[in-house]
């Protein structure tokens, strides 16, 4: 079975969303304000990338006539 570019982007989006959750969790439990800020900032950066991936997928689906995110 071959995967399409969209499949790879969707997989990357899921992986990125998991990292966001992990980094937010880390920011809550680690000791040290600097490290907490680092993890929170990293989560926010990853969220920006996740949004870009989601927009790419949605635009691709609009062009192909699909109306849902799956």
């Amino acid at each position: 079975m071959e995967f399409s570019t969209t499949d790879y982007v969707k997989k990357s989006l899921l992986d990125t969303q998991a990292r966001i959750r992990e980094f937010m969790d880390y920011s809550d439990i680690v000791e040290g304000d600097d490290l907490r800020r680092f993890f929170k900032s990293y989560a926010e950066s990853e969220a920006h990338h996740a949004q870009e991936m989601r927009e790419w997928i949605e635009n691709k689906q609009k062009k192909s006539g699909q109306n849902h995110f799956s």
Side-chain angles (χ1 to χ4, degrees):
M1 173 199 253
E2 288 190 37
F3 292 101
S4 69
T5 299
T6 302
D7 293 330
Y8 287 114
V9 176
K10 286 179 180 181
K11 168 81 169 81
S12 295
L13 176 58
L14 291 174
D15 293 344
T16 300
Q17 290 170 331
R19 280 193 307 275
I20 292 166
R21 287 188 295 276
E22 288 174 354
F23 292 138
M24 289 304 292
D25 288 344
Y26 298 161
S27 74
D28 290 335
I29 60 175
V30 297
E31 294 180 14
D33 291 338
D34 289 344
L35 198 50
R36 284 186 180 137
R37 281 192 297 274
F38 168 78
F39 280 119
K40 185 170 178 144
S41 174
Y42 204 95
E44 290 169 357
S45 175
E46 289 287 298
H48 174 74
H49 294 293
Q51 181 61 37
E52 289 179 346
M53 284 186 262
R54 185 169 183 89
E55 289 171 2
W56 185 90
I57 293 166
E58 289 171 352
N59 288 334
K60 183 82 169 171
Q61 289 176 336
K62 285 179 188 174
K63 289 178 183 177
S64 69
Q66 296 176 353
N67 293 328
H68 55 84
F69 187 85
S70 59

